[in-house]
């Protein structure tokens, strides 16, 4: 059953067991909720933005291993990055996850996030991986929003 | 003789492999697989009898009409309806339920009236009533549920009052497997002049159904969960109620006489069937009913009861790290539906893992969001059985779940 490991890489499992930046910020400057009604996954994302830079970030919620680890890895990647860079990552990540076989994506930009590339072979799991990112996008755009993957 | 191995040969899809493993199809509560006989009936219709019904003088149209009405007769006898005129074709159980909510509900539910439901209703037997209640300022109440997933029948007497106009209940829960005591509910409802609707989407495919014995006023069900094609379902309504109901959809086929100003309605059941119906799928559903009758619905139920007892036992004895199995543990009041929660592994991950070893289960809220939430979880995994499933498949499932839990705890071996 080797191909299941394309999805559940050791690092993914580790983030699932010990999610990073899991919890709440004291005074976030932007917050958004994401919800996947199909499977009940729910994520709350909080950002502390200073001069267009993500100086702190935290997430909370319930979800499967893919959605939890994706959120966890995202928060690690975001710290210290500008909002513009975060939006670029969102676009690149989405492209990687939803790409057709053989299609390319910006692997250099994504760095460690590339670990989740195997999700593209599991259409039923795409929304799990992108939930946190859509939530990030809406937190940046609107400050306070509820997004749904439906 | 109920010979599962022989039955399986009739279902072409059951020889399919998923990722190199034999398909173990345990998502029957969502939809059943189809035997060769049903698939052939579809092809035969399109190759030999395709024509519109009830309108042609030509031979082909008459042949199509005969087969179409014959299918209605078969479905009618299958649920022991007093007459096939009381069986209305719909697309599915959901449409049947909406038909009642509009055609009967609009006229008979008034401000302050009460509709009594169970907490384990499928969204299709919940949302139409919420919407009707909103339009009419009516009130929805729920019969409480006990810890083991059965209804608290002691509370029913006090909950059905003079204000109650309808009791609507699922016969077999698609999320818990619970088989509800419909006959008792019907008795209590009728005592105070309320009507009773039965959502038979899960019961009609899995156990003998007799609308006269149940004494229900409405019965809704879907063809696709009982070996038939998608896109065809039915609604049974007691005659005096159906006679008094206004049409749901209007247009061609359902009229007697039309002027530029107004129209009068055709007789039952056509009054409720506007437009060209789903001819091919009705006929194929008739073949599904033939298939089920040849096996005997009593035997189907016995097989599933046997499977349920076996599965309950296997689940109990396996080392499943705190797995929570929902629903009653008495196979006499439970169908072959197993919803469970695994505290350390999310259903979505479990579902993906099982899929990789050929096992098809459903994960999520099973169109019963409030119920699943009341169990204290966001989602469950659900394995649901049918007449072609074997005890060996129960073993494969329980072993698969065991293996999955280990995988997510310790990583790949
Ligand atoms: C108990 C119950 N009621 C109603 C329905 C709705 O059936 P359909 O989707 O065929 O309309 C289902 C199907 O999932 C069901 O299980």
């Amino acid at each position: 059953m080797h191909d299941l490991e394309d999805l559940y890489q050791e690092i993914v499992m580790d983030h699932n067991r010990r999610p990073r930046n899991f919890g709440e910020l004291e005074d976030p400057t932007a917050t958004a909720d994401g919800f996947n009604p199909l499977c009940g996954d729910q994520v709350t994302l909080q950002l502390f933005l200073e001069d267009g830079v993500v100086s702190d970030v935290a997430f909370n919620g319930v979800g499967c291993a893919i959605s939890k680890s994706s959120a966890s890895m995202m928060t690690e990647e975001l710290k210290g990055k500008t909002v513009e860079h975060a939006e670029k990552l969102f676009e690149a990540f989405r492209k990687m996850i939803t790409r057709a076989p053989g299609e390319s994506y910006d692997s250099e930009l994504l760095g460690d996030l590339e670990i989740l590339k195997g999700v593209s072979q599991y259409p039923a799991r795409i929304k799990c991986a992108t939930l946190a990112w859509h939530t990030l996008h809406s937190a940046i755009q609107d400050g306070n929003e509820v997004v749904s993957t439906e | 003789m109920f010979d599962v191995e022989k039955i399986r040969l009739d279902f072409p899809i059951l020889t399919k492999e998923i990722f190199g493993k034999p398909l173990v199809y345990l998502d029957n509560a969502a939809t059943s697989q189809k035997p060769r006989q049903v698939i052939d009936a579809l092809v035969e219709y399109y190759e030999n009898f395709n024509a519109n019904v009830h309108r042609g003088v030509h031979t082909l149209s008459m042949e199509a009409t005969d087969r179409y009405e014959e299918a209605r007769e078969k479905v009618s006898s299958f649920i022991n309806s007093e007459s096939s005129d009381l069986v209305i074709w719909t697309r599915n159980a959901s449409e049947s339920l909406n038909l009642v909510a509009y055609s009967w509900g609009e006229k008979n539910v008034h401000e302050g009236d009460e509709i009594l439901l169970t907490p384990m209703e499928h969204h299709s037997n919940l949302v139409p009533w919420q919407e009707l209640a909103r339009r009419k300022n009516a009130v929805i109440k729920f019969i409480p549920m006990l810890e083991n997933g059965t209804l608290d029948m002691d509370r029913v007497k006090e909950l059905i009052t003079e204000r109650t106009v309808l009791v609507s209940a699922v016969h077999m829960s698609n999320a818990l497997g619970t088989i509800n005591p419909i006959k008792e509910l019907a008795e209590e409802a009728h005592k105070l002049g309320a009507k009773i609707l039965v959502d038979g989407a899960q019961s009609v495919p899995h156990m003998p159904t007799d609308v006269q014995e149940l004494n229900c006023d409405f019965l809704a069900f879907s063809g696709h969960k009982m070996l038939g094609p998608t896109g065809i379902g039915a609604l049974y309504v007691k005659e005096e109620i159906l006679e008094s109901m206004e049409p749901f959809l209007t247009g061609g086929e359902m009229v007697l006489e039309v002027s530029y100003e107004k129209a009068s309605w055709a007789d039952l059941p056509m009054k409720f069937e506007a437009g060209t119906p789903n001819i091919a799928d009705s006929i194929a559903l008739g073949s599904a009913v033939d298939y089920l009758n040849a096996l005997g619905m009593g035997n189907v139920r016995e097989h599933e009861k046997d499977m349920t007892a076996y599965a309950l036992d296997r689940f109990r004895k396996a080392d499943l790290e705190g797995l929570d199995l929902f629903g009653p543990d008495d196979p006499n009041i439970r169908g072959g539906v197993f919803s469970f929660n695994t505290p350390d592994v999310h259903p979505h991950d479990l579902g993906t893992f099982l899929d990789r070893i050929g096992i098809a289960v459903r994960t999520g809220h099973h169109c019963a969001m409030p119920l699943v939430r009341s169990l204290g979880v966001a989602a469950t995994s659900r394995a649901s059985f049918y007449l072609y499933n074997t005890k060996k498949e129960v073993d494969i499932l329980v072993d698969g779940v065991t293996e999955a839990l280990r995988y997510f705890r310790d990583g790949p071996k």
Side-chain angles (χ1 to χ4, degrees):
Chain A
M1 214 196 308
H2 59 280
D3 53 359
L4 204 57
E5 271 87 83
D6 293 345
L7 187 63
Y8 296 112
Q9 305 231 6
E10 189 42 45
I11 298 176
V12 173
M13 301 287 248
D14 184 60
H15 276 270
N16 177 40
R17 269 179 235 123
R18 299 186 304 117
R20 324 293 199 263
N21 303 306
F22 193 75
E24 279 170 27
L25 296 185
E26 290 239 328
D27 346 83
T29 56
T31 299
D33 286 317
F35 186 53
N36 180 350
L38 255 179
C39 53
D41 283 356
Q42 183 264 323
V43 64
T44 299
L45 187 72
Q46 297 184 319
L47 300 173
F48 193 86
L49 301 174
E50 269 178 312
D51 303 329
V53 173
V54 180
S55 60
D56 207 357
V57 52
F59 84 102
N60 222 321
V62 289
C64 61
I66 301 303
S67 75
K68 217 151 113 206
S69 61
S70 177
S72 172
M73 282 189 254
M74 180 186 84
T75 58
E76 277 203 317
E77 195 62 34
L78 285 179
K79 275 196 196 170
K81 302 278 161 50
T82 64
V83 166
E84 288 78 38
H85 187 80
E87 289 283 58
K88 269 197 208 128
L89 282 174
F90 166 59
E91 283 309 325
F93 186 81
R94 193 163 63 166
K95 177 101 191 284
M96 172 180 82
I97 298 290
T98 57
R99 76 191 193 280
E103 228 179 313
S104 68
Y105 56 89
D106 194 341
S107 119
E108 210 173 313
L109 180 70
L110 287 167
D112 288 349
L113 297 170
E114 208 183 345
I115 285 162
L116 282 166
K117 69 173 189 291
V119 177
S120 67
Q121 295 160 44
Y122 293 78
R125 307 306 299 275
I126 287 171
K127 285 175 176 170
C128 310
T130 56
L131 179 63
W133 286 93
H134 282 286
T135 310
L136 167 72
H137 179 64
S138 90
I140 290 172
Q141 297 287 312
D142 309 302
N144 277 299
E145 266 291 300
V146 177
V147 296
S148 158
T149 56
E150 287 310 288
Chain B
M1 236 308 273
F2 197 89
D3 181 346
V4 184
E5 289 308 327
K6 198 156 147 266
I7 290 169
R8 291 179 69 86
L9 300 176
D10 290 330
F11 291 77
I13 210 167
L14 296 181
T15 59
K16 194 179 160 95
E17 293 195 340
I18 305 284
F19 300 111
K21 298 273 168 35
L23 167 67
V24 176
Y25 185 76
L26 302 180
D27 195 16
N28 293 286
T31 197
S32 74
Q33 297 302 344
K34 325 299 173 197
R36 168 72 61 207
Q37 290 81 340
V38 168
I39 300 164
D40 285 349
L42 285 171
V43 175
E44 197 205 7
Y45 167 73
Y46 283 119
E47 287 186 350
N48 296 308
F49 306 107
N50 179 52
N52 211 327
V53 291
H54 295 144
R55 14 183 120 153
V57 289
H58 58 81
T59 305
L60 212 51
S61 172
M62 287 186 288
E63 285 179 349
T65 306
D66 285 350
R67 280 178 168 70
Y68 171 71
E69 289 303 334
E70 188 183 68
R72 194 195 305 271
E73 294 280 348
K74 288 177 187 174
V75 170
S76 170
S77 315
F78 190 67
I79 56 168
N80 198 29
S81 162
E82 296 88 344
S83 152
S84 65
D85 290 347
L86 308 179
V87 175
I88 297 161
W89 293 126
T90 60
R91 280 185 303 139
N92 47 37
S94 303
E95 185 178 314
S96 301
L97 292 160
N98 276 277
L99 196 160
V100 179
Y102 280 95
S103 288
W104 180 84
E106 280 297 326
K107 200 162 142 185
N108 294 285
V109 177
H110 307 283
E111 183 163 351
D113 284 351
E114 293 176 6
I115 296 169
L116 188 61
L117 306 176
T118 83
M120 58 182 103
E121 295 310 319
H122 187 278
H123 296 161
S124 291
N125 193 30
L126 172 61
V127 182
W129 306 118
Q130 291 173 341
E131 289 299 296
L132 178 68
R134 201 174 42 74
R135 293 197 296 273
K136 298 288 184 179
N137 274 322
V139 179
I140 295 182
K141 292 193 165 174
F142 294 91
I143 304 168
M145 203 171 78
L146 301 171
E147 192 75 29
N148 69 355
T150 61
L151 295 177
D152 186 353
M153 291 302 289
D154 292 343
R155 298 287 305 283
V156 168
K157 269 197 173 64
E158 76 194 65
L159 280 164
I160 302 181
T161 71
E162 309 273 293
R163 303 247 61 171
T164 312
V165 284
L166 178 73
V167 178
S168 192
V170 66
H171 199 172
M172 184 195 289
S173 161
N174 67 307
L176 300 173
T178 311
I179 297 172
N180 287 317
I182 293 296
K183 229 181 127 171
E184 220 177 306
L185 284 174
E187 254 165 51
E188 294 300 330
H190 289 150
K191 265 187 209 160
L192 283 154
K195 305 284 182 256
I196 175 138
L197 185 157
V198 179
D199 175 356
Q202 297 295 341
S203 56
V204 173
H206 296 277
M207 54 200 255
T209 305
D210 182 335
V211 290
Q212 299 184 55
E213 150 97 9
L214 289 173
N215 199 13
C216 61
D217 299 299
F218 307 93
L219 173 74
F221 56 104
S222 288
H224 69 93
K225 295 183 199 279
M226 52 187 283
L227 312 182
T230 52
I232 188 73
L235 171 69
Y236 159 86
V237 186
K238 244 190 211 156
E239 187 167 5
E240 66 269 22
I241 301 171
L242 194 57
E243 292 280 7
S244 74
M245 276 163 57
E246 294 299 321
F248 178 35
L249 303 173
T250 56
E253 293 256 322
M254 56 74 66
V255 286
L256 191 60
E257 209 180 305
V258 183
S259 70
Y260 281 115
E261 289 75 35
K262 60 181 175 24
S264 59
W265 312 138
D267 286 340
L268 299 178
M270 292 182 49
K271 176 177 165 186
F272 293 94
E273 295 174 351
T276 299
N278 187 345
I279 306 164
D281 294 323
S282 324
I283 292 172
L285 177 56
S287 296
V289 165
D290 288 342
Y291 190 93
L292 290 169
N293 280 333
L295 291 178
M297 285 310 290
N299 296 328
V300 170
R301 172 70 186 130
E302 279 313 309
H303 168 70
E304 290 183 30
K305 217 177 340 183
D306 189 35
M307 293 280 292
T308 301
Y310 183 73
L312 285 170
D313 191 54
R314 284 283 342 241
F315 268 112
R316 248 181 247 129
K317 288 186 182 145
D319 176 20
L320 293 169
E321 301 175 29
L323 176 138
D324 243 338
L325 183 60
F326 301 110
D329 51 16
D330 175 2
N332 289 307
I333 51 163
R334 177 181 190 134
V337 176
F338 297 88
S339 273
F340 53 91
N341 179 46
T342 42
D344 297 331
V345 180
H346 191 279
H348 230 167
D349 296 314
L350 183 64
T352 294
F353 184 96
L354 294 178
D355 182 50
R356 287 280 142 160
I357 53 175
I359 307 173
V361 297
R362 173 89 183 262
T363 65
H365 51 65
H366 320 299
C367 294
M369 267 195 210
L371 171 71
V372 170
R373 226 174 267 144
S374 78
L375 300 173
V377 294
T380 77
S381 307
R382 180 186 73 187
S384 52
F385 294 83
Y386 205 10
L387 46 84
Y388 38 68
N389 288 119
T390 63
K391 286 184 180 163
K392 188 166 153 244
E393 289 178 310
V394 175
D395 293 340
I396 294 173
L397 171 71
V398 176
D399 293 346
V401 174
T402 312
E403 208 183 313
L405 295 182
R406 192 183 326 118
Y407 180 92
F408 286 102
R409 191 190 55 214
D410 303 336
K413 294 185 284 269

